[in-house]
Amino acid sequence: MALIVVTTSPRVAPGLLSRRAWQVLEEGPVRTGSADHPHLPYLADAGIAVEVVTPDPAALVRESQTGTVVWLEADEALMRSIGYAAVALEEPPVIEVVPGSYDLPGARLLDLVAVMDRLRVNCPWDAKQTHESLVPYLLEEAYEVLETIEEGDYAALREELGDLLLQVAFHARVARDRPDGFDIDDVADGIVSKLVRRHPHVFADTRVEGAEEVSDNWETIKAAERAAKNGGDSGSVLDGVPMGQPALSLAAQLLRRAERAGAPALFPEPSADDLGARLLDLVRQAHEAGLDPEAELRAAARAYRDRVRDWESSGGGTSSGRPR
């Protein structure tokens, strides 16, 4: 005599249940408090009758004293009420929880897709957005992620990564509305295929001796991919460098790519009246020293900000002289 509670995940395809869950459901009787439970049609197809009732914890545990009752899905509040009702009896029934299905890693991404789809349909602001209108938010969220990493604020990093992930989901949902568009599964499929293709030492039988050889293989595979896209022409090693990125990181990436290609030193001679050439030479020096010029300048800027704030707090600034 027992009350058996079968739990399921809404993120797992209906009908995919554990063997033990199917066994207890077939033994019945089965009840649930959710008329729209996604498994109901599949249980009906399997010949399992499920009665939809208003949850009554006390009645459930009393009935379970004389027979076995199977309850499909129970939230935390209902389970707590069932427990209270059971311990109030002199001879409480056995209460067993049987996991019917459970989330795999990444399952909550399905919730994000569902929420984004609903927003796109029902929210006027979300409905009118385009790839172009979302660009400022994409950049802003990326920089906020960068800031939390620089500050070592890993608690905030979780939230900022979620905001950035939303931008990926949003763009994929916008793309789905185009006749020639794609969806979030296409995005995921593309990056999964790329990662597998570029890591033959993990997903195939290629052997590597260290991280440097992994990087070399990566570049070789990328060159082959460019050639395949260009009909056999491998193109330039600089193809694919996003020219819209901040100038320091742009210069650094161009230098890295050119060095890997074995390009000769093609730097303009720095002169007093050519600020761009002098800045590029500084980036070259940082590259030769193994430094990231963007990160170095950002660190210097943050230190300068802190010094200005210290100066202000010590009375060096006046409210009338501060920008508003």
Side-chain angles (χ1 to χ4, degrees):
M1 309 309 171
L3 172 61
I4 303 177
V5 179
V6 177
T7 62
T8 62
S9 167
R11 302 171 196 91
V12 176
L16 295 179
L17 296 171
S18 65
R19 183 182 180 194
R20 171 62 177 156
W22 278 113
Q23 288 175 335
V24 299
L25 288 168
E26 288 171 345
E27 293 170 0
V30 183
R31 304 206 180 108
T32 185
S34 176
D36 59 353
H37 194 288
H39 285 66
L40 295 185
Y42 298 87
L43 294 176
D45 287 345
I48 298 174
V50 180
E51 182 182 3
V52 179
V53 300
T54 301
D56 184 340
L60 275 174
V61 295
R62 284 197 303 270
E63 184 177 357
S64 302
Q65 286 181 297
T66 57
T68 297
V69 178
V70 179
W71 184 267
L72 179 61
E73 208 60 69
D75 57 25
E76 183 178 346
L78 179 58
M79 287 299 298
R80 189 181 301 112
S81 297
I82 288 173
Y84 291 151
V87 297
L89 299 176
E90 289 187 6
E91 296 184 10
V94 173
I95 299 176
E96 179 185 359
V97 177
V98 174
S101 59
Y102 51 89
D103 290 341
L104 296 175
R108 294 308 298 267
L109 294 176
L110 297 175
D111 291 345
L112 174 60
V113 173
V115 167
M116 190 66 252
D117 190 57
R118 186 169 179 179
L119 290 174
R120 183 67 173 171
V121 173
N122 296 319
C123 174
W125 187 89
D126 291 272
K128 74 175 187 178
Q129 299 309 308
T130 65
H131 294 301
E132 292 72 19
S133 70
L134 291 172
V135 166
Y137 305 104
L138 177 62
L139 294 174
E140 178 182 348
E141 300 302 350
Y143 279 120
E144 288 184 358
V145 168
L146 174 59
E147 184 173 9
T148 60
I149 294 174
E150 287 180 340
E151 293 180 347
D153 189 353
Y154 297 119
L157 178 60
R158 171 185 172 181
E159 179 179 351
E160 297 303 340
L161 285 173
D163 292 341
L164 185 59
L165 179 60
L166 169 61
Q167 297 305 310
V168 176
F170 208 151
H171 278 279
R173 182 59 183 81
V174 170
R176 204 181 87 185
D177 292 333
R178 300 200 320 261
D180 62 340
F182 52 84
D183 60 19
I184 192 68
D185 287 314
D186 296 317
V187 173
D189 177 68
I191 188 59
V192 167
S193 298
K194 182 183 293 186
L195 289 173
V196 171
R197 187 170 60 250
R198 293 186 183 179
H199 290 81
H201 56 287
V202 175
F203 300 101
D205 55 2
T206 299
R207 298 182 64 84
V208 295
E209 297 301 326
E212 185 175 346
E213 193 171 343
V214 171
S215 181
D216 291 342
N217 287 345
W218 180 282
E219 294 304 323
T220 300
I221 295 168
K222 283 178 65 176
E225 291 171 353
R226 287 196 300 271
K229 287 181 180 179
N230 299 325
D233 181 5
S234 61
S236 169
V237 70
L238 302 182
D239 289 347
V241 174
M243 299 301 290
Q245 63 183 301
L248 281 177
S249 56
L250 169 62
Q253 188 172 6
L254 291 172
L255 289 175
R256 287 195 301 271
R257 291 282 192 96
E259 182 182 63
R260 283 199 294 263
L266 301 172
F267 303 104
E269 188 66 30
S271 61
D273 59 349
D274 190 343
L275 179 60
R278 285 188 286 149
L279 289 172
L280 181 60
D281 189 56
L282 287 174
V283 174
R284 177 190 61 78
Q285 294 176 41
H287 176 66
E288 291 178 352
L291 301 174
D292 179 349
E294 182 78 16
E296 294 297 316
L297 182 57
R298 287 180 62 84
R302 294 174 73 85
Y304 174 73
R305 178 203 62 184
D306 293 340
R307 287 195 294 271
V308 171
R309 287 178 173 174
D310 291 342
W311 171 75
E312 288 177 321
S313 64
S314 65
T318 60
S319 59
S320 60
R322 296 177 187 171
R324 295 186 182 276

